[in-house]
Amino acid sequence: MVPPLLRLSLVFVVLGVTGLRVLPAADIDFSHEIVPILRKHCGECHTGSASQGDFSLNTRKQLLDGGAEGPAVVLDDVDASTLLQRISSTDPDQQMPPEGPRLAPDEISTLRRWILADLPWEAGFSFAPTSYDPPLLLRRPELPAAVDGREHPIDRIIDNYFVAAGRSLPQPLDDGHFVRRVSLDLTGLLPEPETLQAFLSNRSTSKRSEYISELIANETAYAEHWLSFWNDLLRNDYDGTGFITGGRKQISAWLYKSLITNKPYDQFARELLAPTEESTGFADGIRWRGTVSAGQTVEIQFAQSVGQSFLGINLKCASCHDSFVDRWKLEDAYGLAAIYAESPQEIHRCDKPLGKIAEAKWMFPELGQIDPQAARPERLRQLASLMTHPDNGRFARTIVNRLWHRLMGRGIVHPLDAMETAPWNEDLLDYLASDFVDHGYDLKHTLNLIATSQAYQSQSQIISEEHAEADFQYLGPHAKRLTAEQFVDALWQITGEAPTNIDAPVSRGPVLDSTQQLPLVGNWVWSSSDGSAAVPLAGESLTIAKTVSLAALPTRATAMITCDNSYALYVNQRRVSQGENWEQPQVVDLLPYLRAGDNRFLIVARNGGDAPNPAGLFFAARWQMPDGSQQSLGSDREWEWTSALPQAIDNGNAVTFTVIPSDWQPVALVANPNVWMPRVGPAIQKAWQEASGLPLPMVRASLRKSDFLQRTLGRPNRDQIVSVRPDLLSTLEAIDLNNAQMLADLLQSGAERITAAQQGDPKRIIDWLYAYALSRRPTESERSLAMESMGNRAEVLEVEDLMWAILMQPEFMIVR
Amino acid sequence: MSLQTNDFENPQQARRHFLKQMAAASAATWSMGQPLLANQVQPTATADACILLWMGGGMAAPDTFDPKRYVPFEVGVPVKEIESTFPAIDTAVDSIQFTKGLENLASVMDRGTLIRSHVLPDLGSILHSRHQYHWHTGYVPPQTVACPHVGAWMAKVLGPINPVMPPFITIGQRLEGVGESEELKAFTTAGFFGSEFGPMVLPYPADAAKSVQPPSSMKENRFGNRYRLFKQLVDANPNRELMSDYQQESLLRSMDNAHRLLSSKDRQAFNIEAEPKESYDIYNNSRFGQGCLLARRLVESGARFVEVTTEYVPFLNWDTHANGHETLVRMKQEIDGPIAQLIRDLESRKLLDRTLVIVASEFSRDMIMEGKPGSNAADQTTDPVEKLAEMKHYGQHRHFTGGSCVLMFGGGMQKGRLYGASSPVRPFVAIEDPVSVTDLHATVFTAMGISPKTTFEIEGRPFYPTEDGNGKPVMDIFA
C-alpha cells in the first residue's frame, strides 16, 4: 500500500468542472453562519450601497478598514473590536443595531469566534450586489456600419467589436467543415457523402444559405435533434426517478409536436406555465414518495424550474434562504411557488417554518403582477402572460443566448443559467433577442440568422486551456463535443444499424394533411381456436399468411403490427420485425422487402401464458404506388392460418417451409377485441398515423431511453435541469469506447454492410468513411496508413477497426 | 498469490513501483484528484483505501449483529413476542455477541469496531433507493444539484492510489433491468463532479475482467494494432495543430489512460479467475463473495474506493417483506465467509491497517414496527399476521430506522470495540451514543484524510461531503 505522503507528489492538472472550485475549510462556515447574521442585523445600513457612519461591511477589507470611528475589528484583540462592543452594548446611544431586535447571545458568540479565527471570508464574496443587473426592457440597438461589405446584422456588430479590440477576424470556414458543422448543429446528423459531394460541386454563391434553409425545413430531423436540448432543459425523459411511484409525467408528445410545428416560443412557454394535461409534466416536477425538505416541494421545484429554464435565474439558493450570491430572496422563490400552489405555502428558511404565508407574486412587477386572490388556473395564466410579455427582455435573452451557445459553443452570457452575468456584447444579445421577439418568437428564424452569419461560418478558435471566464474575450466560435445523441446517431448513420423501435411516446414525422390520411384497416385475428366459447391455449403457435400482388414496386410502404403475445413478420421469406409487447405496436418499413408481382406476407404468432388466454394479431399496411395512389392491406378473414411453422434459415433472418402445409384455412376475427382495444387502441391509431408519414427516417437516439452508450457519452439523468453537457471525455468513458461490447457489435455489423456495399475495395471504403465521418477526403498519408491496415482486399475485421480508429479521432468527436 | 501482491510486498517497493508508473504516465495520467489547497486543513489519514460492503435492502440488526430475545419458530407464537429469529453466538470479543450464521465474522470481531447505534432518518415513507441515496451521498433526495457518491468524493479529493486504476469502483449492483434502477442510478454517480470521478460499475464480479479487456471478439494483438492505427491517424491528421485545443488534448489523454489500463498488468486485478484456487473457493459462494475477492484484488492494486453490494433488488435479498428468517439464513451464508476472509487476507497482506472496511445498510428491520416510534410510514409487510402460522411469517418484515448496526474494520478503527447500544426492549432504538449518517460519514472521511467541511462550490452554493459540512467524526472509535 502506498504511504500517504505519496499523495503530495500527485499534483497534476485536474480536468475541472466548470463552476466548481475548492474553498478553504475552516471551523467557521462563513456562508451559512456569518452572512445571515450580518445581513439580518447590519445589512440594512452597512451593506450594498448603504454605508452609514461611513462604514460598510461589503468586503473583508472594508470591514477591517472600518468607518468614521476607526477600525471595526481588531484581529489580535478581539474584545477591543468596536463591532463586538456595539452589538453587545445596551446603551441606547451606542448599541447596534440602534433599533429592532438585539443580536442573540449565540449570534454574538459566533461573530466573536469568527473574529478569533482571523475573520475567514469567502474568496470573492461581497455583500454588494456585484452581479450585473440586466435591464428588463430590450433595446433595439442601431446596427453599426458594415465592415468590408459584410452586411449581416450579426457580422456588423461582431466585426465592429473586432475593429474596436484591434484584433483580426477568425478565418472563414471551408465548405466541408461548414456542411458538417451546420448539419450537426441544426439537425444533429452528419451530412451524407452524396449531400457533401453535391454541396462541394455546387457553384452557387447562395448555396450556404440554401443549405441552411433546407436543414431547417426538415421538420422531423430538426425536431428529433432539438428534442434532446429541450428534454434536458425541461427535464423530460422516458424513464427516470419519480416515474416508479407515479410522481412524474412526461411531456414528450406535446414537446415533439411543438418542435415539429415550430410552435412560437412565447406560446410554447405559455403552454408549459399554464399547462394542459399533456404539458403539465414540466410544471409538476418530480414528486418523491415520503417527506421532502421544504426547499424541494413540488411548489418550490416549480419556482426553481421556471426561474432556470425560462429566465436563466438560479432560485435554488433562494429556495432555502435569501441568496448570498445574487439578488434573489426567499420571498421571490416562494412568490413563484405560491402561484402554482394549490394550498397556502408557509415560508421556510433552511427547512424551518417562519410562520409566514407566501403571497403569489413574481419578480418583475414592472410588467404587472399576479392577483394573489385569483384561482390557481388564472394565476398560472397571468404568470404565463407576464413571462411572455413583449417587454420581458429577460425571457427572450435567455433563450437566444441558449441557441447562440448551441451553435457557437459558448453563450454571450455565460454560464447560461446565470443571466445576471454581464454579456460580452450587450448589443449582440439585445439585437438577437429583439429580433427574435419581432419575428414572433420564431426559434428557427433565430437559428437561421445565426447560421447565416460569417461569424458562425468562421473557424473555431483554439483554446489552449480552460479559459478564465472572468476575462473572456470573443475570438470566434468554440468547438463543441458531439453530444451522446449526435455520436450515436452518427454511428447509426455510418453503420446502418439504427434500431427500429422508439421509446418516446410520440407520433413521428410531420403532421399530415387530410389527403395523406387513409382510414385504418385491420382486425384482431387468430386461428379458429378463438370461438365464442373457446379461448386459445397457452403457447399456441401458428402461421398466418396472405399473398398480395403488386402491379409495380411501390414508392413507399409501411406497416404497423402488434400481437398478443409475440410475433415475427416475414415478407417474401425475409424477416422484417418481431415483437413481444402487444401494448406497443411497431411501425416498420416494408419497402426493402417488396417486389413487383406476388408478395407473400407471413406472420408467425404465438400465444403466451400458462393457461388458456385470449390471443390476437393486428396488422395493417399501406403503400403508395408510382402513380401516387394509396393502397392498404389489413388483417382480415382473407388471411389464412396453419399450425405448421416455417423453419428459420440464414441465421434466422429468413424462413422457409420444408414441407408446404396443406391445411391452410381462413383466420377467425377475434370474438372480443375489447380485451385489447381499450389499452392499445390509441397506440394503434398513433402507429397507423405514423406509418402514413413514411418513409420513416432513421430512428434517432433522442427517441430512445438512455442506454449504456448514451450514458457513457454524457446523456444526463434528467432529475435536474441540464443546460450544458460535459465537454470533456473522461477516462471511464474512454474505456467504454475502447471495449464496450455494444459498440463493438455495432461496428462489426456496420463493417459487414460497408465492406459488401463497397465490394471490399479498400480505397473506396476509406474514402467513403472519411467523407461520411469527417466530411472530407483523406490526405495521402492518411489514406496510405489506412491502406496499410487493410491490404489489397478489405476484410470485415479491418474495416471494423479502421472505422473505430476514425470514430475515435478528435476530429470526429469534436465539431469544429 | 497474485502478481500484484508480489509486486507490493512491502510499502517501499510498492511506492517505487507507483513512482515509476507515474513517471511513465507523465502528464497523461488518470485524473489525480484535486490538489489540496495549502490553507485547506485536512485531517491526517488513518486509511488509504476504503471498501464499503453494502447490505442493500435493510439488514435486520436483531437477526445479525445485535441479538435480542430469540424465539424459535412455532405455529401460534404471537409475532410481537419475537425479537430475534436466530440464537446468539459468542464472538472473539467477550462483550460482543452476534447471531447464529455469522460464526466466521464472529471470529474476526477482535479486528473491528461494531456500532450498534446507527440511526437513519425516517423519510415518511420507505423507498429503499431514496434512503440509499441518502446513505451514499449524505444528502436526502431530491436535491437541487446532483450529489456525488461518497466514492466520488474520494476520487475527487484523493484520486486513485495507483494512477492507472479507476479510483471509484462499485461491484455487484445492476443498474439495468432491476426495480428502482433509475433511482439507483441517481446516486451511483459523481454528480456535479462530472463523470471523470464517477464509478466504474461492475455488476458481475466474474465478468469484471472483461470490462478492462478488449472486446471479447478481439485478440490482443488486434487490439494493439487498432490503437496504433488510431494514433497514427491522429498524427497524420492535416489539422493536427487544432489538437492543441484543450478539448482535444483531454480527449487524447483519456484515450491514452484507457488504453494504458486496458493493456496494463494491473488489469489482472480485475480477473478473479487468476486467484489461486484455495483462496478463490472461500470467496466463491455467491456474487457477493466473488465481489469481496475482487475488492481485495483491486485495493491491493491501488484502487481508492470500492463498494461491494449484496445487490438491492426490491423484495429480494435483505429486503425481506416475508419469509425473512429463511432468506437471512442464505444472506448470512453469503456474507459470513467472504467478509471474514477479506479481513484476514487484508491483515496477512499488511493492508488492513490502512484499509477501512465498512459493513452497512440503509436501515434495520423489525418484526412489528415500521419506521420508528411515532413514524407515519405505512406498514409494508406483505403477510401481516398476529401469530405465526407458517414459516413465511417468521422474520423481520418491517423497515426500522430507529437503530441499526455498522461494522468497521481496519483503517485506524479500534479493534474489538463496541460502540453505542440499542434499547434492550422493543422498540430497538439507539439509546446510547447515536451515530447519524452525517456523523458516520464524517468518521469515514476523516479516516480517509478528508475534512467533513471540505468545500466545493457549485452554482454559487458551498457543498460539503457531509450535509452542510456538519458531520462530526466519532473520534472515540479511532485507535
Side-chain angles (χ1 to χ4, degrees):
Chain A
M1 185 59 53
V2 189
L5 67 106
L6 177 60
R7 205 186 305 138
L8 297 175
S9 65
L10 307 184
V11 181
F12 280 85
V13 176
V14 169
L15 311 177
V17 175
T18 315
L20 206 64
R21 62 197 164 89
V22 189
L23 304 172
D27 288 336
I28 300 286
D29 179 346
F30 176 73
S31 296
H32 288 103
E33 287 185 275
I34 307 300
V35 172
I37 299 176
L38 296 180
R39 213 187 271 286
K40 177 171 158 200
H41 297 288
C42 325
E44 198 178 325
C45 307
H46 300 291
T47 65
S49 49
S51 56
Q52 298 215 354
D54 262 349
F55 176 53
S56 164
L57 41 76
N58 280 343
T59 65
R60 184 173 188 272
K61 180 170 184 307
Q62 283 173 300
L63 173 56
L64 284 171
D65 288 348
E69 296 174 37
V73 167
V74 186
L75 285 178
D76 43 17
D77 185 1
V78 56
D79 294 310
S81 301
T82 322
L83 186 140
L84 278 186
Q85 292 167 354
R86 302 287 288 268
I87 60 177
S88 320
S89 171
T90 48
D91 176 348
D93 293 335
Q94 284 289 315
Q95 69 176 31
M96 282 291 161
E99 287 160 21
R102 313 291 303 139
L103 272 76
D106 66 319
E107 291 177 319
I108 295 175
S109 71
T110 301
L111 292 182
R112 188 170 184 281
R113 204 157 47 81
W114 177 50
I115 299 171
L116 274 174
D118 206 32
L119 218 61
W121 195 280
E122 189 184 318
F125 176 83
S126 168
F127 281 97
T130 49
S131 47
Y132 168 82
D133 195 18
L136 189 57
L137 280 178
L138 289 176
R139 289 178 307 118
R140 283 171 173 73
E142 198 175 312
L143 289 174
V147 179
D148 293 335
R150 294 170 23 139
E151 292 284 349
H152 192 286
I154 291 176
D155 293 322
R156 285 167 67 169
I157 296 172
I158 289 189
D159 289 358
N160 278 280
Y161 169 90
F162 274 96
V163 170
R167 277 196 300 269
S168 50
L169 292 165
Q171 292 298 305
L173 198 62
D174 63 49
D175 275 351
H177 279 97
F178 165 76
V179 170
R180 185 172 197 267
R181 187 198 284 174
V182 76
S183 175
L184 283 165
D185 282 351
L186 297 178
T187 66
L189 294 168
L190 294 173
E192 287 165 357
E194 301 74 31
T195 310
L196 173 70
Q197 197 45 54
F199 188 85
L200 294 178
S201 48
N202 183 346
R203 296 270 163 255
S204 157
T205 51
S206 56
K207 66 177 181 178
R208 290 197 178 189
S209 51
E210 283 159 13
Y211 184 53
I212 292 167
S213 305
E214 202 180 296
L215 291 169
I216 286 180
N218 184 342
E219 60 275 77
T220 307
Y222 166 85
E224 295 181 355
H225 169 56
W226 287 89
L227 186 60
S228 297
F229 167 89
W230 291 106
N231 277 339
D232 281 10
L233 190 62
L234 304 173
R235 60 166 177 181
N236 179 56
D237 215 333
Y238 322 124
D239 212 346
T241 51
F243 288 118
I244 189 173
T245 48
R248 189 172 176 184
K249 292 187 203 88
Q250 292 190 41
I251 57 168
S252 309
W254 172 87
L255 180 56
Y256 190 93
K257 250 184 294 173
S258 303
L259 294 175
I260 282 281
T261 56
N262 191 32
K263 187 174 283 170
Y265 182 59
D266 54 342
Q267 185 191 342
F268 180 102
R270 282 194 293 268
E271 291 177 10
L272 288 169
L273 290 166
T276 63
E277 187 51 34
E278 58 170 1
S279 61
T280 193
F282 169 75
D284 291 348
I286 303 177
R287 189 183 293 273
W288 286 71
R289 194 163 87 180
T291 345
V292 302
S293 85
Q296 273 289 280
T297 60
V298 285
E299 293 83 5
I300 288 289
Q301 286 182 43
F302 172 82
Q304 293 171 350
S305 302
V306 168
Q308 183 172 359
S309 297
F310 295 119
L311 296 168
I313 287 176
N314 188 335
L315 287 173
K316 293 174 185 175
C317 297
S319 311
C320 224
H321 48 68
D322 292 347
S323 173
F324 309 136
V325 294
D326 53 35
R327 62 178 261 198
W328 308 113
K329 305 221 178 304
L330 199 52
E331 268 188 34
D332 294 319
Y334 272 90
L336 272 181
I339 300 174
Y340 170 83
E342 310 257 14
S343 55
Q345 296 292 298
E346 181 169 14
I347 301 181
H348 284 62
R349 180 188 295 126
C350 297
D351 233 7
K352 306 230 171 14
L354 297 185
K356 228 163 61 179
I357 300 299
E359 177 162 286
K361 61 181 185 127
W362 91 314
M363 304 95 95
F364 304 106
E366 304 93 308
L367 298 176
Q369 194 47 282
I370 310 287
D371 171 10
Q373 306 308 323
R376 181 175 182 269
E378 176 55 24
R379 293 198 305 268
L380 290 170
R381 267 195 300 278
Q382 289 174 359
L383 175 65
S385 121
L386 288 168
M387 179 68 79
T388 57
H389 192 292
D391 287 344
N392 183 6
R394 286 171 175 263
F395 173 70
R397 283 191 204 106
T398 302
I399 185 62
V400 297
N401 189 53
R402 293 190 195 284
L403 300 181
W404 180 269
H405 166 262
R406 290 308 306 148
L407 267 60
M408 302 296 283
R410 189 191 185 277
I412 303 169
V413 175
H414 207 86
L416 306 182
D417 294 327
M419 289 298 288
E420 309 294 299
T421 316
W424 63 262
N425 192 319
E426 284 186 287
D427 281 357
L428 177 60
L429 183 60
D430 269 22
Y431 179 85
L432 287 170
S434 55
D435 174 79
F436 174 64
V437 174
D438 295 346
H439 285 84
Y441 296 87
D442 181 345
L443 296 163
K444 285 186 170 182
H445 165 80
T446 298
L447 289 172
N448 184 70
L449 181 71
I450 299 172
T452 49
S453 69
Q454 292 304 308
Y456 174 80
Q457 297 175 21
S458 314
Q459 290 183 11
S460 48
Q461 66 175 107
I462 295 173
I463 306 166
S464 52
E465 55 188 57
E466 264 194 292
H467 40 284
E469 292 294 337
D471 49 343
F472 170 81
Q473 290 187 320
Y474 177 81
L475 297 172
H478 285 196
K480 305 173 287 272
R481 179 180 170 189
L482 284 184
T483 62
E485 290 88 339
Q486 284 172 325
F487 186 98
V488 171
D489 284 341
L491 194 61
W492 288 343
Q493 282 185 285
I494 294 171
T495 59
E497 288 291 314
T500 49
N501 298 336
I502 63 170
D503 297 312
V506 303
S507 184
R508 284 190 81 197
V511 178
L512 297 177
D513 63 46
S514 55
T515 59
Q516 292 165 291
Q517 287 174 359
L518 267 187
L520 174 65
V521 291
N523 300 278
W524 289 92
V525 299
W526 198 251
S527 73
S528 15
S529 72
D530 184 276
S532 49
V535 178
L537 291 174
E540 180 185 356
S541 295
L542 55 149
T543 304
I544 297 176
K546 178 165 181 162
T547 300
V548 177
S549 184
L550 295 174
L553 186 63
T555 52
R556 60 189 205 198
T558 49
M560 65 124 306
I561 179 168
T562 185
C563 179
D564 181 356
N565 286 87
S566 63
Y567 82 91
L569 166 67
Y570 302 87
V571 174
N572 296 325
Q573 297 190 326
R574 287 165 61 212
R575 190 177 69 202
V576 179
S577 69
Q578 55 191 7
E580 293 180 343
N581 183 354
W582 62 266
E583 287 184 89
Q584 281 184 3
Q586 286 172 289
V587 178
V588 295
D589 187 3
L590 289 181
L591 195 57
Y593 306 90
L594 296 180
R595 57 191 176 215
D598 280 353
N599 289 273
R600 183 74 170 158
F601 288 78
L602 203 131
I603 300 163
V604 178
R606 185 173 185 280
N607 191 22
D610 37 26
N613 69 95
L617 169 84
F618 193 107
F619 175 85
R622 52 178 295 162
W623 45 81
Q624 179 174 301
M625 299 306 284
D627 64 4
S629 65
Q630 307 274 337
Q631 300 179 356
S632 58
L633 165 75
S635 44
D636 58 20
R637 283 202 185 86
E638 289 175 23
W639 289 60
E640 305 173 302
W641 75 277
T642 169
S643 56
L645 301 178
Q647 275 77 52
I649 52 172
D650 184 21
N651 293 326
N653 291 320
V655 283
T656 185
F657 277 107
T658 43
V659 178
I660 306 295
S662 53
D663 59 347
W664 289 107
Q665 48 188 309
V667 298
L669 298 192
V670 173
N672 181 15
N674 279 338
V675 173
W676 304 285
M677 282 319 253
R679 273 165 78 180
V680 75
I684 287 179
Q685 282 295 346
K686 184 171 79 75
W688 179 246
Q689 189 192 358
E690 192 179 304
S692 313
L694 293 190
L696 277 178
M698 181 185 90
V699 163
R700 303 286 298 269
S702 65
L703 300 169
R704 305 264 299 177
K705 288 180 184 173
S706 193
D707 58 16
F708 172 76
L709 194 55
Q710 289 202 50
R711 235 187 333 277
T712 284
L713 293 162
R715 174 161 156 181
N717 289 342
R718 291 171 175 139
D719 305 337
Q720 278 90 18
I721 288 171
V722 175
S723 56
V724 179
R725 299 266 186 104
D727 61 353
L728 301 179
L729 178 83
S730 75
T731 303
L732 284 173
E733 295 170 356
I735 290 177
D736 292 341
L737 291 178
N738 268 278
N739 76 352
Q741 198 60 48
M742 196 173 170
L743 178 62
D745 293 345
L746 261 177
L747 291 176
Q748 193 190 339
S749 328
E752 283 166 12
R753 178 167 295 153
I754 293 163
T755 312
Q758 310 290 343
Q759 282 123 33
D761 179 340
K763 184 174 167 304
R764 279 179 56 184
I765 291 170
I766 295 165
D767 286 1
W768 186 84
L769 281 176
Y770 267 82
Y772 214 156
L774 305 177
S775 302
R776 68 173 172 89
R777 271 185 234 282
T779 61
E780 277 313 311
S781 65
E782 286 171 327
R783 188 183 285 136
S784 64
L785 280 168
M787 294 286 278
E788 268 170 45
S789 75
M790 292 205 228
N792 289 335
R793 196 158 175 80
E795 300 293 332
V796 170
L797 288 187
E798 295 161 352
V799 176
E800 190 184 327
D801 289 354
L802 175 64
M803 198 164 18
W804 183 86
I806 292 174
L807 298 183
M808 294 304 123
Q809 296 289 310
E811 189 183 347
F812 177 77
M813 289 206 245
I814 294 166
V815 189
R816 293 207 66 92
Chain B
M1 188 162 275
S2 76
L3 196 58
Q4 282 67 39
T5 317
N6 287 331
D7 275 357
F8 307 146
E9 226 157 6
N10 68 59
Q12 203 50 44
Q13 238 181 326
R15 178 158 184 272
R16 270 203 307 276
H17 175 82
F18 288 136
L19 287 174
K20 221 168 85 189
Q21 266 181 331
M22 284 180 46
S26 87
T29 183
W30 195 289
S31 239
M32 297 311 299
Q34 191 78 16
L36 304 178
L37 295 188
N39 62 350
Q40 184 153 16
V41 189
Q42 295 291 9
T44 307
T46 59
D48 299 316
C50 180
I51 299 177
L52 171 62
L53 303 174
W54 184 249
M55 308 291 118
M59 176 179 71
D63 272 353
T64 51
F65 301 106
D66 195 2
K68 303 293 181 188
R69 188 180 66 234
Y70 165 61
V71 179
F73 174 79
E74 206 177 311
V75 172
V77 174
V79 169
K80 66 177 192 308
E81 285 178 14
I82 309 170
E83 295 179 351
S84 288
T85 72
F86 292 87
I89 58 165
D90 289 335
T91 72
V93 179
D94 287 346
S95 58
I96 302 178
Q97 285 198 317
F98 288 173
T99 59
K100 188 164 177 277
L102 296 171
E103 288 71 15
N104 284 296
L105 268 168
S107 72
V108 294
M109 186 57 234
D110 55 349
R111 277 82 151 180
T113 289
L114 172 62
I115 297 175
R116 278 190 177 150
S117 52
H118 187 33
V119 289
L120 294 309
D122 184 291
L123 300 179
S125 174
I126 301 298
L127 185 64
H128 284 270
S129 46
R130 194 167 169 227
H131 288 76
Q132 290 178 19
Y133 183 113
H134 173 234
W135 206 100
H136 283 85
T137 65
Y139 291 80
V140 173
Q143 287 287 324
T144 55
V145 298
C147 303
H149 187 290
V150 289
W153 276 96
M154 296 186 194
K156 174 78 177 170
V157 181
L158 305 175
I161 299 175
N162 172 353
V164 305
M165 292 293 282
F168 168 22
I169 300 170
T170 69
I171 302 170
Q173 179 69 55
R174 283 169 291 172
L175 296 176
E176 301 292 351
V178 292
E180 294 176 47
S181 59
E182 293 303 312
E183 283 68 19
L184 294 168
K185 282 177 208 160
F187 66 82
T188 310
T189 159
F192 63 80
F193 284 156
S195 71
E196 188 70 15
F197 306 98
M200 175 179 239
V201 180
L202 304 171
Y204 292 94
D207 290 342
K210 282 190 203 146
S211 63
V212 288
Q213 268 166 10
S216 59
S217 51
M218 205 168 264
K219 293 276 186 299
E220 200 84 349
N221 58 346
R222 184 178 156 208
F223 183 68
N225 289 340
R226 186 179 77 164
Y227 196 67
R228 194 157 43 250
L229 177 61
F230 161 75
K231 296 285 275 184
Q232 285 170 336
L233 290 177
V234 167
D235 288 335
N237 192 295
N239 300 313
R240 185 71 181 82
E241 82 281 1
L242 297 180
M243 289 178 207
S244 61
D245 189 278
Y246 80 103
Q247 277 191 335
Q248 315 213 19
E249 269 183 356
S250 135
L251 195 156
L252 292 172
R253 189 163 55 231
S254 293
M255 290 298 285
D256 268 351
N257 293 341
H259 195 257
R260 185 170 310 113
L261 174 62
L262 265 49
S263 45
S264 85
K265 247 175 357 141
D266 293 292
R267 76 185 159 96
Q268 269 303 310
F270 290 81
N271 181 10
I272 57 172
E273 303 278 332
E275 186 77 5
K277 182 172 181 338
E278 190 185 328
S279 155
Y280 178 82
D281 287 347
I282 297 172
Y283 287 103
N284 187 29
N285 69 344
S286 60
R287 246 166 84 203
F288 176 78
Q290 294 174 343
C292 288
L293 171 58
L294 180 57
R296 192 210 77 207
R297 294 175 62 87
L298 294 171
V299 164
E300 279 178 273
S301 284
R304 177 71 69 180
F305 176 91
V306 183
E307 173 168 358
V308 187
T309 109
T310 51
E311 191 170 48
Y312 172 63
V313 182
F315 300 98
L316 291 183
N317 300 339
W318 295 105
D319 190 15
T320 53
H321 289 240
N323 205 26
H325 176 79
E326 292 194 326
T327 308
L328 256 63
V329 171
R330 172 175 67 82
M331 293 313 295
K332 289 158 92 171
Q333 227 160 30
E334 283 190 15
I335 67 164
D336 184 46
I339 299 180
Q341 191 60 30
L342 173 67
I343 302 306
R344 291 204 179 90
D345 279 0
L346 289 172
E347 188 178 55
S348 69
R349 286 160 170 77
K350 312 231 176 314
L351 289 171
L352 186 58
D353 285 347
R354 301 291 301 178
T355 304
L356 177 60
V357 181
I358 308 157
V359 183
S361 186
E362 67 265 32
F363 39 64
S364 178
R365 291 181 164 273
D366 189 85
M367 285 287 274
I368 59 173
M369 175 164 288
E370 182 78 28
K372 66 176 180 188
S375 167
N376 54 6
D379 183 5
Q380 289 186 44
T381 183
T382 47
D383 291 285
V385 288
E386 295 284 318
K387 291 181 175 167
L388 297 183
E390 47 183 316
M391 197 61 190
K392 73 171 181 185
H393 299 143
Y394 190 51
Q396 315 282 350
H397 300 154
R398 269 88 174 185
H399 313 92
F400 186 70
T401 56
S404 80
C405 288
V406 177
L407 198 49
M408 296 168 100
F409 294 96
M413 298 299 121
Q414 287 184 22
K415 297 178 177 177
R417 174 72 197 271
L418 176 62
Y419 185 84
S422 64
S423 165
V425 294
R426 190 174 263 133
F428 304 121
V429 291
I431 53 164
E432 198 179 290
D433 298 325
V435 180
S436 65
V437 169
T438 307
D439 290 346
L440 185 73
H441 282 190
T443 311
V444 171
F445 281 118
T446 300
M448 294 296 289
I450 300 174
S451 161
K453 288 183 182 299
T454 302
T455 315
F456 287 85
E457 190 195 278
I458 174 72
E459 297 181 21
R461 163 190 180 180
F463 203 91
Y464 316 84
T466 60
E467 194 174 7
D468 298 334
N470 287 335
K472 302 262 183 305
V474 185
M475 293 315 293
D476 212 24
I477 61 173
F478 282 82

